Every structure is written in C-alpha cells, then in structure tokens.
Amino acid sequence: MVEILKPQTSEQVVDAIAWASGEEIPIEILGSGTKRGFGRPMGDANRTVAHAVDLSGFSGITLYEPEELVLSAWAGTPLAEIEAAVAEKGQMLAFEPPRWARLYGEEGGTLGGMIACNLAGPRRVKAGASRDHILGIEAVTGRGELVKSGGRVVKNVTGYDLSKLLTGSFGTLAALTQITIKVLPSPETIETVVLSGLDDEQAIQAMSVALNSSHEVSAATHVPGNLSDVLPGGGGAITAVRAEGFVPSVGARSAALQKLLAPFGATSTLDMEASKAFWSTIRDVEPFVGTDDSLWRLSVMPSEAARIIAEIGAPAFMDWGGGLIWCQADTADAASLRRALAAHGGGHASLVRAGEDARRDIPVFEPQPAPLAALSTRVKDSFDPRHILNPGRMYEGV
Amino acid sequence: MKMPDPDVDVIARREDILAAMQSLVPGEGVIADATGMAVYESDGLTAYRQLPLIVVLPETVEQVSAVMAYCNAHGVKIVPRGAGTSLSGGALPAADAITLGLGKFNRVLEVDFENRCARVQPGVTNLGITHAVEADGFYYAPDPSSQIACTIGGNVAENSGGVHSLKYGLTTNNILGIEMVLPGGEVLRLGGKHMESEGYDLLGLMTGSEGLLGVITEVTVRILPKPTTARAVMLGFESSEAGGQCVADIIGAGIIPGGMEMMDRPAIKAAEAFVQVGYPLDVEALLLVELDGPSVEVDYLIERVREIAEALGYVSMRVSESEEERLQFWAGRKAAFPAIGRLSPDYYCMDGTIPRHKLPEVLARMSKLSDKYELGVANVFHAGDGNLHPLIMYDANKPGELERAENFGSDILRLCVEVGGVLTGEHGVGVEKRDLMEEVFTENDLKQQQRVKCAFDPNQLLNPGKVFPTLHRCAELGRMHIQRGQLPFPDIPRF
Ligand SMILES: Cc1cc2nc3c(=O)[nH]c(=O)nc-3n(C[C@H](O)[C@H](O)[C@H](O)COP(=O)(O)OP(=O)(O)OC[C@H]3O[C@@H](n4cnc5c(N)ncnc54)[C@H](O)[C@@H]3O)c2cc1C
C-alpha cells in the first residue's frame, strides 16, 4: 500500500519532504501520474517506495500577463487548463507539449510533469523544448528546502540556471512547486506541404532542403506507409513540412517550399485545420498509441536517421527533420539499437514504454560514460543526499 | 569590492608552479613576467585590476586537462579567460590564481550544413562563426555587441545575448553540445549534434555558469539559414511611456520582431553626435524595430507596426529602404557605448532586466537617482525582452566618483529587483554584482547553487571570488540538519 500525501501549499511540500528526508523514507513525486510508465521502476528489494507526494491538488495559474509573454502556475495545474488560458489570448506554449499520457493509455497531465520530463513537440526544430521556455522554478529539494531559480523575465543570468537543470530531471532532484514559463503568440495561419511515397533516405534529404532554406520551417516529419494509417490522408509514406505565421507570409513560404521540394515529387498542401489535425497526431505519437509494445525514442544526428532506422529494422517514424526517431523495437534489441546510434554520429535512446521487468533490466535512459555518470550522481547528491526522491527512476542507484 | 585574501602559501610556491606549467605547456604558452601579464590584468570591467599569478595559454585539450589536474592536486586556483570582454569582472585575475587563456583554441573544426551546426573551439570569436558559414547563407544568431572580439567560450560561460535574441534566443538556446574539462582534469562531452542532451541538463547548467564549473574546450553551435530580407523601422516618441506602450502593442499584436531596441534622450543625443545617422533629437524615446523574413512578410509587418505607432502618436518614423540604410539605423545603437565614452571620461554599464511594463516607472526613478548621485545616466534598452543597459557617466580621476557610480548602479539594480526583475540579463554576476545576490536569493537558494558548484569543483578552485557573496566549504554545505519525529503535518490531505 502506498500512502499518498496531497500537499496544497509550498510549506506542506517542504514539511512532507523534510520528514521523508529526516526518516530516510523514499518517496515518489507525482503530478497526475500519467507518465508513470516512463522511467525505471523505483526502489528495489531493500527499499520499497511506499509513500508518494502527489502534487495534483497544488493547482492554479498564479500569474498570466499576455503582453509580457509570461505565465506562472503551481506545478499540479493541468496542462489543458494552461493551454486553454493562453489560447484565449491568442497565445501558445511554443514547444508544442505532446500528450504522452496517451502512450500509456491515460489522459491529461500537469505542468509539473511536462517540465519534469522536458517534453517537446514537432516545433522543437524551430522553438526548442520545455527547457528553452522555462523562466523560473520554485522547488523543494530532497533536503526539504524550498529553493528558487530564475524569475519571470526572459533574459536572466543571475546565478546558475537551476531551472534548466530541474527541467527533465524526472523528480529526482526536487519536487517542483511553482513554474514560470514563456508563452508566445500563436500563428495567424498554418500550411503544410506534403510529399508522398518517399523512402526514409529521400525524406531526410527533402526535410533537410526545407530546413536549410530561409522559409522558417517549423516542423518536418516523415511517416512510412506501414505507420501512416492514423494520419489524416494516410495510407502511403508521408513527408510533411510546416509553415506558420502571418497570412501573407505563410502563403509565400508555402509556395516557395512547394517549388523547392518539387524535385522530390508531386506536392500537395494541408490548410490550417487539416494541419492542426496532422501535427497533433505526430506530436502525440499516435502511430504508436493504443498498444503496449515497447517504444523507443531516439535523439540523433538528423542526417543519420535513415541509416539508423535501416540498421534497427523495426517500425519507425521521424520527427524534427530526422533528429527524433520513434521506434517500436523489441527490448531484447536494446544493446544493438544503442550500438547503431553510437556508430552513426551518437545521440541517445530512451525506452519510453515497456513492461516493468524490461525497464528494470535495461537502462531506460542512455547509459553515461563513467566520468559523466559520476558527475550526475554528485549533482543528485547535491540536491538529494539521501536519495529519497524518485529513487532509481533515471539511473540505478541515483 | 573585497576579493578573497590571496593564499600566501600558493604565492610562495610560484616558482614550482611555473616550472610545472612550463613542462605541461611548452613553447610560448606560459607568461610569467609582469609586462607580458599586464594585458590580462583586467577585463571589460576596467575599474578592477589584478596581475595573475601566471598566465597559461594551452593549445590542446590534453594540456588543459593536465594543467587542471596539476592545479587540483596542488591547490592552485584557475581563472578561465576568453577575450576578456566580460563587463562583470568574470575574467578578473587573482594574485594566487593562474589565468587560463583559451585564445589559442581558435579553429572552426567542422561546419555541418546537413545537420545545421558547427563545431568550433572556444576561442573562436562570435562573429568568426558567422564568417565561417555566411557564404552558404547561414549565420550564428546570438549577436552580442562585442561580437568582433568576444569568444564563443565566453558566450557560453555568460549565456550572452544580443539584438537578435528576442526572436532567436540566447546562447543557451543556440548550442547543441560542449566538450569541457572538470577541475580534476576529466574531459566530458555534453550533448553533440543531436538536439537534446541526455540525462540531467548539464549543458543548460554550464551555460551561464561564469567559468565556475569547468573549462569549455569545444562548442557545437546551431547555425540558422539567413532570413531573405531584413528592414528596420525607426520611431521617435515624445515620452518613454509611449515608446514602452508601442513595444507592448507590437508584442500584443503577435509580432516578435527580429530586434527591438530603445534609447532614451541622452543616449540618442550621444549616438547622433558620434555617428550622425539622422536620429531625431526632439524625442524622449527612440525605438528601432527590425523585421526579418520573406519580403512579403516584412512589408506586411512594417504596415502593422506603422499602424500601431500611429495610434500612439509617434513624433517621427522612418523605414529603411536599403541595406545600407538599415545598417545606418543600427550604427547609432551599436555605437552607443563608445558614444557615451566620448562624453564622459568613464562610464559604467549596468544590465538589469525588468518586466517590460515597468519601464516608465524605472526610468523615472532612475532619473531621480541620477539627481541624488549627481551623475548622468543614458539608457539603451533591449526593449523586447526588458533588458536595460543604463550607462552611468563618471570620472574615475575625481575622488569618490567611482564609488558614487557603483552605489548608483547598485541602487538601479535593487530597483530592477524591486519591480520584479533581476540583477543581470546577459553580462553575468562576476565580481560586480556578487554582493547584491542576496537581494534576489535567499540563503537556501544560494547554498543550493553552491552545492551544485561543489559537485563540479569540490576544492573550489575555479574562478574564485566570483558570483557568490559568502563562501562556504563544500563539507559544510553538504551537511544535513535533520529533524526527526512523527509526521509533523496533520493538515496535509492523505489518501
Ligand atoms: C563593448 C562591449 C559590448 C558588449 N555587449 C554585449 C552584449 O550585447 N550582450 C552580451 O551578452 N554581452 C555583451 N558584452 C559582454 C561580453 O562581451 C560577453 O559577456 C562575452 O560573452 C564575454 O566573452 P569573452 O570571450 O570576452 O569572455 P571573458 O570576458 O574572457 O570571460 C567571461 C567569463 O567567461 C569565463 N570563460 C571564458 N572562456 C571560458 C571557457 N572557455 N571555459 C569556461 N569559462 C570561460 C571567464 O572565466 C569569465 O567568467 C559586451 C562587452 C563589451 C566590452
């Protein structure tokens, strides 16, 4: 039985973690728990995690100033609530947060969970990930101390950027309590230029031509025929690039992109509504939703993506112009998959979905070289010396 | 400004240390005579000067690693240095520390257009990267005004920004990977050519860490295709309120310009007197808005900006009609520092950031402070992202003026913090703002930052005396104060 504490103020989070730290009791840090399937199973035979701090009740937007492009909220605020609030003012979270919950058969997700996992959608190629939009954080460390970093302004180098360090730390360093992020204006319109029937290698070339042009491509994906059924207009292989912005500009850039991509075959376009539907499918990794099959996420050198996919030989599609590969490879092939990456320019592979045993036996996150692993452990120790926060979720013993 | 007392024991061992350095870095890579070291005695914050113990200029990562390992084993401190343009004293030497200059790491190692990145050594200048890729239509986006001189290693250490950062981000958003050497001599790579670095975001942490965590020996930067067109709009307003409102309305209309800079009357006057680019002299605020992208977009946005400015009753407006004219508009802004330098024997450049809508209030209060301290101040302002650069004019030869200028500066930064901003937007804390850190951070905040420092540099040998107002030993910081007892929180809901 897991005892769940649901603090609703920073002081309560401090109390809960200070107690756990004092008693050396390992605890799980939760948002809405939709991405629990991502990461190593916590604890081990000697140390079961029997307590959780659930931040989903610690919710609400505390500041939103559209003209300043800034929003703060408690960590447990549902992402949907935030996206609705900014959409009302014609704004968005520019890194296009994906709904990973769906990969685990769940719905929803909190701001804290999104930041703790450093999520990013197709616009990563242009706008970056969560980490590029975080302005400030308040969090309770594994020592039970409330610390803050950053602020509410875009430009800030006052002290170390602990906000970035905590983004993507999967609750292993501190429990995030309040988060301040940058918001940006939503595009006036969107148009997607589509090519059909390319193989992976041709697709990489086409996406590279588009991304290397001055037409400000904000997303580039390729889905092979065996995975494109879930896409609007799917069936065969689809390669798509997106232009967004002001109406006259998007029209001009889309036309230019069609011309530029003509050597790769006939092009067609998706209008704003069709584009939204298309890109949310890519964003939410729909080709791999609705199964329990093991799922890998590979961050690679874009130019090598086709060769890596060929070497792995499992169903896969690409986002980020090839920089991101989603791939349904068997967990038994973990080692050869990671070797393929290393042989093709490096990068890293994360096991995003798999059964508990597999996630215990196979490193979920890319194993690090010894000096880097040692440094990561020292960083962990600096926040959480007794390893009580989400112990083992990222690396064994961390 | 008080720097830590030099370690007399280290100074007494100078000859041994020098011999060791000469064996590790052969040839002309070690400078030990006072004349040779004099060029390193200060950085862009020239009010502070100090000769280093020894200057070492390694050429390879193996040499950097060997120097660091030696220093770590022998308790010798190290101050990393790029071009020495830091405005916060980040590269200020210490009498008991080696200054480790990265100037010889000056090669562009690889340009990879397919992956839109370049691998460069840390001593390559910011502009040098753009020069290496511009023939193919690319550029490196963050563009500090010091870009001819400052190095990419220094840019990473300071998380530098520039006019284009409003739309294209700061250094931290434009690098993919680094190679670095830890104080113990271990060589690490963070990130690479892929878009996301793995594990904890140590790359993000290193960016802006002011040379306190490790020495950067290689940087992989993102390069971007150049926009096809760029044009600038120059707007004059009769009040800073109107100028500030124009900035807010442009952003409110969903427009993120390539650059958006503001100058106040003293800065406009100084710049115009210096470069004669046709700035209007009868306005309180001058706004430069650069729009870039395909020409249809630029034309369209210029019209939108014109409408917004018209509604606010601008005093003057000009749109650049040629590349030459665009550069001319910027010439005054870019020359603002030397322009002030002509009016005043010395000037002191501040770097606070504020929420944009606080601008009129901050300018009004700054002008009161200017009266109080009897020192002039001119303002240039990265208006789009709320980053102020007040330039305080003083004369260091007049007794007490430097101190007055520093106190004036500190009051400005306190004001920035008071209205919801921060001490530094892009120049770093260094020694300059070190003692103001407690205005922003609690003791807990600062101790946690120092614990992170200890994770990298347990002997606290890298860039001593910078950033942190109070030093604690790592062992003391690591200690836990444990309160044991029953669940002390009956009020937290449980399930
Ligand atoms: C006229 C002028 C205009 C400026 N304009 C801008 C501007 O528009 N925007 C802006 O952001 N800044 C600006 N600056 C400040 C300065 O140029 C930047 O901070 C720049 O990044 C410093 O680079 P540098 O190579 O000179 O570094 P240095 O001054 O040599 O060092 C700066 C810091 O970085 C550390 N460091 C340097 N190299 C390394 C390395 N390889 N590894 C680890 N640590 C290292 C040093 O220890 C020090 O703490 C300006 C400065 C001047 C003088």
Side-chain angles (χ1 to χ4, degrees), chain A residues 1-8 12-13 15-16 18-19 21-23 65-69 91 118 120 124-126 129 131-132 141-143 145-162 164-165 167-169 172-173 182 184-185 188 204 207-208 211-214 216 246-249 252-253 297 299-304 307 320-321 323 345-348 366 368 371-372 375-380 382-383 385-386 394-395 398, chain B residues 112-116 138 158-159 161-162 165 167 170 172-173 182 186-190 193-205 207-210 212-213 222 225-228 248 251 253-256 292-294 296-297 300-301 304 353-357 382 385 387 420-429 437 440-442 444-445 448-449 451-453 455-456 467-468 477-480 482-489 491-495:
Chain A
M1 249 309 275
V2 174
E3 182 175 44
I4 298 176
L5 299 171
K6 267 191 127 177
Q8 269 142 13
Q12 290 180 346
V13 181
D15 282 348
W19 163 77
S21 166
E23 303 289 327
E65 292 177 3
E67 66 291 352
E68 297 276 335
L69 306 177
Q91 297 187 330
N118 186 29
R124 178 77 173 90
V125 283
K126 181 156 179 272
R131 53 101 63 191
D132 294 287
T141 67
R143 307 173 62 94
E145 292 171 350
L146 182 70
V147 298
K148 69 168 180 307
S149 155
R152 51 156 297 181
V153 290
V154 182
K155 254 178 152 175
N156 182 4
V157 291
T158 317
Y160 296 141
D161 197 343
L162 299 188
K164 282 210 176 54
L165 180 62
T167 303
S169 67
T172 61
L173 300 178
K182 182 161 91 173
L184 282 171
E188 214 170 72
I204 287 287
M207 292 191 287
S208 178
L211 286 164
N212 281 12
S213 75
S214 58
E216 290 187 61
F246 295 101
V247 171
S249 169
R253 283 186 283 137
R297 180 175 183 265
S299 176
V300 306
M301 210 162 116
S303 61
E304 293 296 316
R307 283 182 280 268
W320 304 354
H348 55 91
E366 187 74 23
Q368 299 185 318
L372 183 55
L375 178 61
S376 297
T377 307
R378 294 198 299 273
V379 169
K380 162 82 174 173
S382 77
F383 281 86
R386 301 185 137 191
M394 287 182 82
Y395 303 105
V398 169
Chain B
D112 180 348
F113 293 112
E114 253 188 304
N115 292 300
R116 295 163 290 282
F138 282 78
E158 299 285 13
N159 190 17
S165 293
K167 183 168 174 186
L170 304 159
T172 191
N173 313 110
L182 287 176
E186 302 104 308
V187 181
L188 298 179
R189 296 192 82 91
L190 304 175
K193 288 184 178 177
H194 47 288
M195 259 166 267
E196 248 158 36
S197 83
E198 55 283 338
Y200 294 138
D201 191 354
L202 302 180
L203 183 61
L205 176 65
T207 313
S209 64
E210 304 198 22
L212 267 73
L213 301 182
R222 275 183 356 128
K226 254 196 279 190
T228 39
I251 287 173
I255 303 169
I256 307 291
D292 63 3
V296 276
E297 173 172 339
Y300 169 77
L301 291 181
R304 306 251 324 235
T353 304
I354 57 170
R356 271 184 302 264
H357 67 275
H382 299 301
D385 32 39
N387 188 196
V422 295
L423 297 175
T424 171
E426 57 182 16
H427 295 168
V429 175
M437 287 288 271
V440 187
F441 293 115
T442 64
N444 273 354
D445 299 340
Q448 186 54 45
Q449 293 189 34
R451 284 187 197 107
V452 170
K453 157 92 170 158
F456 284 75
V467 181
F468 298 112
L477 287 164
R479 229 167 268 150
M480 292 268 290
I482 292 164
Q483 308 130 349
R484 300 197 53 150
Q486 270 304 305
L487 277 182
F489 32 80
D491 51 330
I492 303 180
R494 279 184 227 181
F495 300 88

Side-chain angles (χ1 to χ4, degrees), chain B residues 43-44 79-87 90-91 102 122 143-146 150-151 153-155 157-158 160-162 210-211 214-216 337 382 426-427 463:
Chain B
D43 59 15
V79 177
R81 184 183 179 99
T85 67
S86 165
L87 291 171
L102 279 302
D143 54 343
S145 314
S146 51
C150 66
T151 68
N155 289 178
E158 299 285 13
S160 301
E210 304 198 22
V215 172
I216 298 154
F337 291 13
H382 299 301
E426 57 182 16
H427 295 168
N463 220 358

Side-chain angles (χ1 to χ4, degrees), chain A residues 327-343:
Chain A
C327 142
Q328 199 168 283
D330 205 273
T331 49
D333 298 331
S336 62
L337 183 147
R338 286 191 160 124
R339 268 199 304 278
L341 237 68

Side-chain angles (χ1 to χ4, degrees), chain A residues 122-141:
Chain A
R123 209 180 281 105
R124 178 77 173 90
V125 283
K126 181 156 179 272
S130 300
R131 53 101 63 191
D132 294 287
H133 296 259
I134 184 120
L135 300 177
I137 267 187
E138 276 177 27
V140 179
T141 67

